[in-house]
Amino acid sequence: MGPTNVSNGVNESNRLPVLVVDDDADVRQVLCWALEDAGFDVLTAPDGPTAFAQAELRPPGVVVLDHGLPSTDGTHVAVGLRRICGEHLPILIVTADGRAAEKAQRAGAYAFLHKPFDDAVLVAAVRRGFATS
Amino acid sequence: MILAPLGRDGALAEQILCRAGIHASVCAGVTEACDGLGGGAGAVLLTQEAFSLETAGRVVDVLLDQPTWSDIPVVVLVGAGVLPQRVPYLRTLLDAGANVTVLERPVPTTTLVSTLQAALRARLRQYQVRDQFDAIARAEADERRALDRARHLQELTVQLGLNLDTSVLFAKIVDAVVVLLDVTIVGLYLLERPDADFESVASRGLAPGQVGTRLPRRSSLAGRAVDQRRFLAVNNGDGVVLPRLLGDSPVGAVAVAPILTEDHQLGAIEVYSRSPRDWESDDVELLTAFAAAVAVALTNVRHLEREQQEIEARDDFLAAASHDLKNPLTVIRGSIQMLERTRARTGDLPRERLDMSIRTISGSAARMTALIDELLDVARLRMGNSLVLEKSPTDLVALAGRLVAIHQSASEKHAIVLDASVPQLVGVWDERRLERVLDNLLSNAIKYSPGGEIRVGVGRDGESAVLSVQDRGIGIPEADLPHVFDRFRRGANVLGRIDGTGIGLAAAAQIIREHTGSIDLHSREGEGTLVTVRLPLSTDLESR
């Protein structure tokens, strides 16, 4: 993965997208709004297999991953995405339950957020993800 | 009757006595006579006075060292004019009060026979006394043993009650049987359900690898004992299925005590012996009593386990419920923030964004309302209250169509097909709750199948409306089928793999029951699941 330059909501055509993986269509929608308004390109996937297909087509710079996906455990999605995009892929875990830290650690995530979260916090966390990659 | 050495008179005496119907045997020497007497072989001793001092001493020893009940009659033939007091060993015996009759030669045949007959009668009475003594001693020993066993049974029963861990309890049960019945081979078999095969859960002296194997429910001795509710035993394993013993040796005898409570069949304790044996009545009583104690201990442990499972499941349920509430909250908050952001940046709210936000916010609010309603229903059911149905004329075809459309829009991998055999099917039902039932069934079908077709059937069967949901998903393991409508119960093949609260089917079943309808589930692991709901097509508008 090459170096990425993202700065304060300015669109750049050659930058890597944020991949949002969440089974809830409405949650995907609000995440999209928040990230697109902050200037990120956003791809979405409702489940692991779709996320893998998206990542094959266009490797993401940061992944926002809901840990409670049906039929595929978030940890497995993280492993699958890293196999495709490389070990250093920054993953941000978003989860609605109380064991977020534990889940984030298992998935090797650089950060985690509890639902519901503030848009500004989400955007800041994604920016940090790009900065670490 | 023993004839001690009588020289040539011995054979003659034997002949005479034999003719009188008295069985006699001549001993070759004093040693044989003494051994015979000491071992209880003879009833009466017929002998003579002419012994060496040493030989006579041995006879005296035997005669003076008898059990309390015994006083062997001794008939001694002495030479004419011999005074018994002059014969040292006779004097010793007479002084000691031994039962000695002296006959002076020549002895008429009739005198010999009548004397011996009298002696034999006396001896017979002694035998009767001995038998009474023995019977009393046996009874005392039995009583002591019974007391010991009862005390032991009580101690072991108390110990069983102290165990809260099933595997430890199983081991204690077989160990206790080994001690109680003084046997070496024991197996404990339990029934998960009344019709399932017995599962071996603990054993002593059986071939390794026995634990976890199964005994057939019907053709086994354990099965018969459970059905007949009594102790059963067989020798040589005739016609029954038996486990393998250590070293593969055949089973000589087996006894089974069923483990039962008044209304539950829990399993059986089997005790084996390598050789055929008849079980004593106190063995039977003891094993039966112990099995009753085991039934109590098992029931307690199972109750406790179930309670713990319920507590864990309730915690999981609460976690899942808060999870499910947080998603719509995220959407509401995210939508509002988006609107605020847009207005701050542009000073305006574009029509398209406003419409989308209103749609997602109202949809999320509806989801939260439905979830909270469901939580309230669950809370009511947990407190043992029934639901208050809000019935109104409801078209099941339209209801199914709405839910199929909603679920279809949320899943691209499934083809959800509505198969209605009538254009409209109106009954008086609680529409909101029926929606929740179908929502649960469709969510399950989607969650537990990787993709493919899900068929929702609506039709009429006489006075019933029939609603069905069929998927080609992972199905439910056979062992879990009896529990699918239990609260908080989820299949063994999805635990830890698929998120879910496990409350759905229990709540759905309750809603259908309150409509006086029925819900049935057929499933095969790996092939899919079919849930069929029947609702009465009555026109009764009253709420229950």
Side-chain angles (χ1 to χ4, degrees), chain B residues 470-532:
Chain B
Q470 182 162 31
D471 68 60
R472 301 189 193 289
I474 58 177
I476 297 168
E478 201 183 335
D480 291 326
L481 280 176
H483 307 291
V484 288
F485 294 115
D486 290 359
R487 270 198 301 268
F488 307 126
R489 188 75 180 214
R490 305 180 66 211
N493 58 344
V494 299
L495 283 175
R497 275 180 51 203
I498 296 176
D499 276 2
T501 57
I503 195 71
L505 273 179
Q510 184 73 22
I511 290 168
I512 298 305
R513 270 199 301 274
E514 304 236 351
H515 276 91
T516 63
S518 66
I519 182 164
D520 289 300
L521 184 144
H522 294 277
S523 189
R524 219 176 249 269
E525 196 169 1
E527 291 180 19
T529 303
L530 167 66
V531 185
T532 308

Side-chain angles (χ1 to χ4, degrees), chain B residues 151-161 176-177 179-180 290:
Chain B
R151 201 174 306 129
H152 217 131
L153 175 66
Q154 195 189 359
E155 281 167 19
L156 290 169
T157 305
V158 168
Q159 279 199 7
L160 288 190
V177 176
V179 174
L180 272 179
F290 185 66

Side-chain angles (χ1 to χ4, degrees), chain A residues 17-110:
Chain A
V18 178
L19 175 58
V20 172
V21 191
D22 197 308
D23 62 312
D24 189 315
D26 291 341
V27 173
R28 284 201 302 277
Q29 178 65 73
V30 297
L31 288 175
C32 254
W33 285 337
L35 293 170
E36 280 174 354
D37 285 354
F40 295 106
D41 282 352
V42 182
L43 303 173
T44 61
D47 53 37
T50 314
F52 300 151
Q54 296 268 38
E56 296 269 12
L57 281 174
R58 205 174 153 204
V62 170
V63 176
V64 178
L65 175 63
D66 172 28
H67 203 278
L69 292 174
S71 72
T72 323
D73 175 40
T75 309
H76 292 136
V77 179
V79 169
L81 287 172
R82 289 219 162 87
R83 198 170 293 141
I84 296 164
C85 305
E87 281 309 304
H88 300 293
L89 176 70
I91 294 176
L92 171 66
I93 291 289
V94 291
T95 175
D97 74 25
R99 295 198 302 268
E102 176 198 324
K103 288 179 171 181
Q105 196 176 19
R106 245 189 299 145
Y110 71 91

